[in-house]
Every structure is written in structure tokens, then in C-alpha cells.
Amino acid sequence: MSANPDSALKILVIDENPIRRAIIESGLAEAGFTSVTVLANTTRLIDHIYTLDPDVVLIDLENPSRDVLEQMFQVSRVVRRPIAMFVDKSDKTEIEAAIDAGVSAYIVDGLRKERVKPILETTMTRFRAFTRLQAELEEVKGALKERKIIEKAKGILMKRRGLDEEKAYELLRKTAMSQGRRIADVAQALVSSADLLGD
Amino acid sequence: MADAANGPLGAKSSEVHVGFMPLTDCAPLVVASEMGFDRRHGVKLVLHREVSWANIRDKLGVGNFDCAHMLAPMPIAAALGLGRASDLIVAPMALSLNGNAITVSNRLYAEMRDADEAATQAGGMSAARALAAVVRTRQQQGREPLALGMVYPFSCHNYDLRYWLAAAGIDPDNDVNLIVVPPPLSVEALKTGRVDGFCVGQPWNSVAVAEDEGVIVATKSELWAMSPEKVLGVREDWAAKNPALVSDLVRALVTACQWLDEPENREQAARILARPEYVGISEEILAGPLTGALRRGGGLADIVDPDLVVFHRGHANFPWRSHALWILTQMIRWGQVREPFDLKALTERVFRTDLYREAVAALGVPVPLSDDKQEGGDGVGVFFGSGRFDPNAALSYLRDLEIRNSGTDLAAFAALNS
């Protein structure tokens, strides 16, 4: 068996269907994954997830505990994990839409054990890409907010000190440098105090 | 009725695929199909039973269904991009009001009775006082916090339960553990001690009582009379492309709701819902919550309340925008959404009173003049004890609620919604 860099991945499989469970288990074993936990029922799902701290969760789409997983991942970003789902009958659009929606991968009809490893890898890749995309989006949102605050602060300085735009920005920049703070923070402080002073 | 945009309503184009969860309040969809109200109004319902709300949302989103039995907050959450992103879903009608209940394990019930017997027996809002006493005692004794279940983060079960707890001074995020328990697993979770209680839709509260595993301490109609519960969810683009079909669908379901609201039909509804392809729970258990005679368990007297679940009367099918607005206030209250947005614009886009009014005009069903209404206050009905909700003052209402998530900038919401 070739060395598998992901062989230490902790994988949690949740499926009530014993046949599918067996296929997945042997597929993972043959692919060299050694840390695999298989659950047939989900009565203590949350406890299991906290204890096992899996890197990836594979769950049957027809399992009611999908809602439980969703809540968990909403409440805590820390435990957010890639999820792959099994579904016996599916069409292409369903899979694509699910992936767009942030589900990392769907495993479809005709599951064979040889397919388990590539599916798992796709799941991880998709999840990482999705997480990165979300982080970038958050950053962009934050940057946009900061730019707006700086614009507002510049406006206040232009009005109150009779400066032109360039000079106003320069003043903000210098103040930030001399105080060892970020421009956005100085701008925020200025806007807040202007609000307080009723400007 | 043929419609140029739809093409002639042949067998195929009038077929509407609908997803539902096996709960008592899927009745309008099942009855419309079983009693032929769908065909009478020119549609043919094809029902798909599902196991999770996440499945309902995803399968509606990708077009496996045209419409679905949905928790009222689900279309709102979708519009806000909460949970997993999905297409915009609109609600052209409500399917039911009330219907849920809060059930506690026999063990917790005994603790509540010991702490405050009168409050426990009185049920409803009062019962939360007894629970608060238990929570405090357990904290003093350094015991584990209570675990309480609800069905989905974006559900009235979540918001009702949190409201009930907070009204008695219990912080739902810090004093107890709130977890999602899928309805069919709820009784098992109570039995094994995974949860000490839950807020869930029927028949699961009654199943817990019938199996002698729990006691019903409050019904949703006791907390907030005529409160929102399930809606019909359709994709916005599908509704725009198929206006005639949406109208026919709403008429078929309103007709089913009218039929269901006749007390003499409720026994028959229980018989139909009991079938394995629908809810699959015995007719006897389903009949209690449907006919308004509810066994509470724990040696308590039955609840007799014709409003345990309401399908049509009192404008039950009207998708009140003030209901959507209240749901939004709770999403903000509990920190599910923090970025300010235009509340009114969102309620108008998602709760489509216009589609409802248009559809039922031909049925002669009376509709309210306004899209909003007040909750609580004199003559308006019970709203969480003596509370009130004025949709014109949603943000000041929110600000006045003592227990809420502190991470949300209410001033920013107020600035955007002034």
C-alpha cells in the first residue's frame, strides 16, 4: 500500500444501512485510513462528535440527524467539519446544487469501495476551498466597512478643518502613525466623537 | 383552467411535487390529496415524505419539489442566507397555527413539582417559573445544566422555547443546553436521558405521554394563542413562472384547511394521517392533539383546547407579515443574524400576502385589510403571558427584552430601519 498523507484523518461514518456501511468501511480500510469510526445510530451523536473530534463526517442523506449536524456547525465554528452525504438516487443538478450550498460532496448511486477514497478527497478539497472562500468574503466585508468609516472621517475633517480630501487623509494617516494605531481605528474614534458632539 | 404562460393544464403541467415531514400539521397537504381538493382546483399533488428539515430545504432548492411543508422561519432564514445558502423561498400561505408543546421527562417533572407545585400544575407560562427554580437549584448544587431539545435552529420551536425560558429569567444560551433533536428521535432521547425535555410538534409530545416517558407542561396555544407554525414554501422563481398554478395550489390547500377545521372531520383526519406513508403513528395518539383533547400525563387533568392546532379559522392561512417580523426579531435577539438589514423589505418579499389575497378571492374567503397585526393586549389574545408585540415598534420591543444575545448592535438595526 502506498503511503497516504491523509491516512491519519479521523473519519466518522454515520449510516443506518449495514450494506453501505460495510462498503464504506472496507473502502476506507483499503485506502489506508486507519482512524475510522462507524455509527449505525445517532442517539449520542453530539457526544460522539465532541469525543472523536473527526476531521470529516460521512452521513446518509436520509438520516434525520442531518438537522443535528447543521445546528452543531452553526453554533460552533470550531467544530465545523466537512460533511459528505450518501444518497441512493440522485441527479447531477442535485449534486451540483448541494455542493454550491456548502455540502462538500454527495456520494451517489452505485457506491463501490474503490470510490470511497476519491470521494473523501473531493470532500476535503471542496470543504477547504469553501472555508477559504468564506474567510475571504468576511475579509472583503470588513475592508469595505473600514473604507466607509475612513471616508466618513475624511468628510468630517474636511468640513471642520477646511482641509481638502488629500490633506484630510494625510492627517488621519499621521495621527495613526504617531499613536501606533490603524487608520481605520483612528477614523472610527473620530466618527464616534463627532457623533457625540452632535456633528 | 388553462393559462397561456403555463401552457394548457394537462396531466403533467398541473402536477405539483410537495415535500413534507411526518407531523400532525402536514395534514393540509395530505388531506388535499386524499380528499381530492387538489384535483378540484386543477392541480395534482405528489407527496414526498422527508426525514429532516435540511432535506426539505435542499430538495426544494434543487427542484426535487415544487413546494414544501416548512417551518415558518425557514424561508426567512433562506432570504438572510443563514444556515446553508439556498434560493429565495416565499410563503404564499400559512398551513397551520399552534400545534407544538413542551414536554419534560418524568424526572424533571418531579423536580419541577417539588420546586413549585402550583406553577407546574398551572402549565403554560407559569410552568417556566417552576423550571427556573429547578435550574437555580441545580446550579447551586453544581449539577449539569438541563438539556432541552428543539427541532431546528430556524424554527418557532426554538424561538418559543427560548421565549418561555427567558420570560422566567432563564438564559437559554447559558443556563441550559439547547440542542436539536429530530422529532422521531425525541421520545427516545427523553427515555435515555439525552434530553430532559423538548419543544416539538405533535404527535411526538403525545407519544411521550402515551409511553409514560414525559409530561406536557405547556402547549404553544397557551404561550401565544394563534401563533405561527408551518407555511407553504415555494421557490420565488417557480412562483413567478407559474402564477396560475400557485393560485390553484393555494386554493386547494385552503379548501383542505377549511375541511380540517370542521371538528367532525378531525377524527377522519387522524385516521388518514395514521397511515404509514404519512405520519405512521396510531390514530388514537394523533386524535388527541387533533381533536383538542390532550392527555398531559403525570396525573394531570387533560387539556381541552379547540385551538391546539388551527388550520383555517381566524385568518390562519394568511401569511401575516407581522409574524415574519416577530420571527426576525427573535433571530436578531438570539444572535442568529447580526448584520443590519431592512426588516420590512424582507418580510414583504418573503411572506406573500398578495399571492394569498389573489388566490382566495375566487373562494370568497375573507381576508384581513392589513398585512400586519398586533399581538397581545386587550382583546387580541395571549402573547407570552402579558406581553405585546407591535409590528410598528419591532426594534424597541426587541431592545426591551431583558435576556438577549449581547453581540448584536441594535443601534445599527435601528438606524437602518428608522
Side-chain angles (χ1 to χ4, degrees):
Chain A
M1 198 185 308
S2 63
N4 186 343
D6 278 342
S7 64
L9 274 183
K10 281 185 282 183
I11 302 163
L12 175 61
V13 180
I14 306 161
D15 198 336
E16 287 178 357
N17 181 330
I19 297 168
R20 211 164 33 199
R21 223 161 48 220
I23 296 174
I24 293 165
E25 244 184 315
S26 69
L28 290 172
E30 281 179 23
F33 294 103
T34 50
S35 184
V36 179
T37 307
V38 182
L39 292 182
N41 74 59
T42 51
T43 45
R44 291 170 51 80
L45 181 61
I46 292 182
D47 295 350
H48 277 296
I49 290 182
Y50 275 108
T51 320
L52 295 168
D53 189 27
D55 298 302
V56 57
V57 180
L58 306 181
I59 187 171
D60 166 20
L61 188 66
E62 298 309 319
N63 192 311
S65 291
R66 268 198 73 190
D67 289 342
V68 179
L69 283 178
E70 287 215 352
Q71 183 216 16
M72 255 192 94
F73 296 160
Q74 246 163 42
V75 169
S76 168
R77 280 175 186 276
V78 181
V79 292
R80 190 170 289 178
R81 295 288 181 272
I83 312 176
M85 300 188 192
F86 319 136
V87 53
D88 281 335
K89 276 183 246 89
S90 184
D91 58 39
K92 197 166 159 289
T93 53
E94 181 175 356
I95 301 162
E96 281 171 0
I99 290 170
D100 282 346
V103 172
S104 306
Y106 265 57
I107 300 176
V108 287
D109 217 2
L111 180 63
R112 298 184 314 272
K113 60 183 178 182
E114 306 84 65
R115 287 193 57 212
V116 174
K117 186 173 174 240
I119 285 164
L120 196 76
E121 282 165 355
T122 313
T123 304
M124 299 296 290
T125 314
R126 293 265 186 192
F127 178 73
R128 285 176 189 138
F130 184 71
T131 312
R132 197 173 55 238
L133 220 77
Q134 274 197 324
E136 280 168 14
L137 190 70
E138 289 298 313
E139 250 172 57
V140 168
K141 271 185 175 166
L144 202 68
K145 231 183 195 163
E146 291 192 346
R147 251 203 329 267
K148 276 188 187 156
I149 287 285
I150 293 171
E151 287 303 316
K152 215 170 162 186
K154 273 197 309 196
I156 293 167
L157 288 176
M158 286 159 73
K159 194 171 144 212
R160 293 278 288 263
R161 307 269 305 253
L163 300 173
D164 66 21
E165 194 174 344
E166 205 176 315
K167 289 264 162 49
Y169 184 75
E170 191 55 28
L171 181 59
L172 280 176
R173 202 178 62 83
K174 273 192 175 155
T175 313
M177 274 173 67
S178 70
Q179 298 181 355
R181 296 161 71 195
R182 296 171 59 241
I183 296 182
D185 294 339
V186 172
Q188 179 65 60
L190 179 68
V191 170
S192 308
S193 45
D195 280 350
L196 276 175
L197 294 169
D199 190 279
Chain B
M1 269 167 282
D3 180 275
N6 258 349
L9 269 185
K12 260 276 178 265
S13 68
S14 62
E15 214 169 70
V16 174
H17 290 260
V18 49
F20 74 98
M21 285 286 272
L23 292 162
T24 306
D25 57 22
C26 72
L29 301 161
V30 170
V31 161
S33 164
E34 285 290 329
M35 306 294 295
F37 299 133
D38 56 346
R39 271 96 67 206
R40 186 195 292 178
H41 289 282
V43 290
K44 169 82 184 76
L45 286 181
V46 183
L47 299 171
H48 301 264
R49 182 177 143 134
E50 284 301 325
V51 295
S52 71
W53 292 110
N55 272 9
I56 292 246
R57 177 205 54 207
D58 289 350
K59 292 188 178 181
L60 180 65
V62 300
N64 280 25
F65 315 139
D66 302 307
C67 62
H69 175 221
M70 280 195 149
L71 298 158
M74 290 178 79
I76 299 169
L80 286 168
L82 300 175
R84 290 189 198 287
S86 57
D87 286 346
L88 202 89
I89 299 163
V90 297
M93 72 178 287
L95 293 173
S96 59
L97 303 177
N98 304 340
N100 305 328
I102 299 171
T103 299
V104 299
S105 67
N106 294 331
R107 201 171 42 232
L108 176 54
Y109 175 71
E111 280 188 58
M112 287 169 66
R113 204 183 40 203
D114 290 347
D116 190 337
E117 182 156 14
T120 310
Q121 290 219 337
M125 291 305 286
S126 305
R129 284 209 314 270
L131 189 74
V134 172
V135 166
R136 301 285 166 249
T137 309
R138 291 173 76 104
Q139 280 171 345
Q140 280 154 18
Q141 294 169 346
R143 291 163 69 192
E144 281 275 291
L146 293 168
L148 301 174
M150 44 86 186
V151 301
Y152 195 65
F154 307 111
S155 66
C156 287
H157 309 70
N158 185 18
Y159 308 134
D160 291 343
L161 180 61
R162 283 167 172 272
Y163 211 113
W164 182 74
L165 293 168
I170 304 168
D171 181 340
D173 286 312
N174 293 306
D175 295 336
V176 292
N177 282 332
L178 284 195
I179 57 173
V180 164
V181 180
L185 307 182
S186 57
V187 178
E188 178 68 23
L190 206 61
K191 194 184 296 187
T192 56
R194 282 275 305 129
V195 295
D196 302 292
F198 51 66
C199 180
V200 72
Q202 290 285 15
W204 298 102
N205 298 282
S206 290
V207 171
V209 172
E211 294 186 7
D212 200 19
E213 293 294 340
V215 181
I216 295 176
V217 293
T219 66
K220 186 161 164 158
S221 53
E222 287 173 333
L223 307 186
W224 176 6
M226 308 297 264
S227 58
E229 184 42 39
K230 299 299 189 306
V231 296
L232 177 71
V234 301
R235 275 194 321 284
E236 190 183 46
D237 59 350
W238 187 80
K241 261 183 244 150
N242 302 284
L245 197 53
V246 171
S247 262
D248 291 340
L249 175 65
V250 169
R251 278 192 282 274
L253 292 173
V254 168
T255 306
C257 287
Q258 287 174 319
W259 182 89
L260 272 166
D261 241 16
E262 296 299 329
E264 67 269 24
N265 293 334
R266 293 280 181 106
E267 299 273 359
Q268 192 182 342
R271 206 150 49 238
I272 296 171
L273 288 174
R275 284 161 40 186
E277 66 268 36
Y278 299 131
V279 183
I281 294 288
S282 83
E283 189 185 329
E284 291 70 33
I285 291 176
L286 283 162
L290 270 171
T291 58
L294 195 64
R295 274 189 57 213
R296 286 182 70 182
L300 293 165
D302 287 2
I303 289 174
V304 179
D305 176 4
D307 288 344
L308 276 179
V309 57
V310 177
F311 291 107
H312 181 70
R313 66 180 175 276
H315 300 306
N317 301 127
F318 189 71
W320 291 102
R321 284 174 174 160
S322 47
H323 283 174
L325 187 61
W326 180 82
I327 289 165
L328 281 174
T329 64
Q330 301 308 297
M331 288 177 169
I332 299 167
R333 180 182 189 185
W334 303 119
Q336 287 181 326
V337 55
R338 293 172 192 276
E339 291 281 313
F341 58 91
D342 184 337
L343 281 89
K344 191 162 180 286
L346 193 130
T347 61
E348 285 172 2
R349 185 158 181 200
V350 177
F351 273 41
R352 294 290 298 275
T353 51
D354 56 328
L355 295 180
Y356 180 77
R357 289 178 196 280
E358 203 179 295
V360 301
L363 293 178
V365 168
V367 288
L369 292 174
S370 168
D371 290 337
D372 299 291
K373 68 180 168 110
Q374 308 268 333
E375 301 293 339
D378 295 339
V380 185
V382 183
F383 179 72
F384 295 108
S386 56
R388 282 169 188 244
F389 176 64
D390 175 359
N392 297 312
L395 284 166
S396 58
Y397 158 83
L398 187 52
R399 218 169 6 237
D400 290 345
L401 294 169
E402 272 179 31
I403 298 179
R404 60 183 152 81
N405 189 295
S406 57
T408 306
D409 183 0
L410 285 186
F413 273 92
L416 199 70
N417 285 279
S418 53

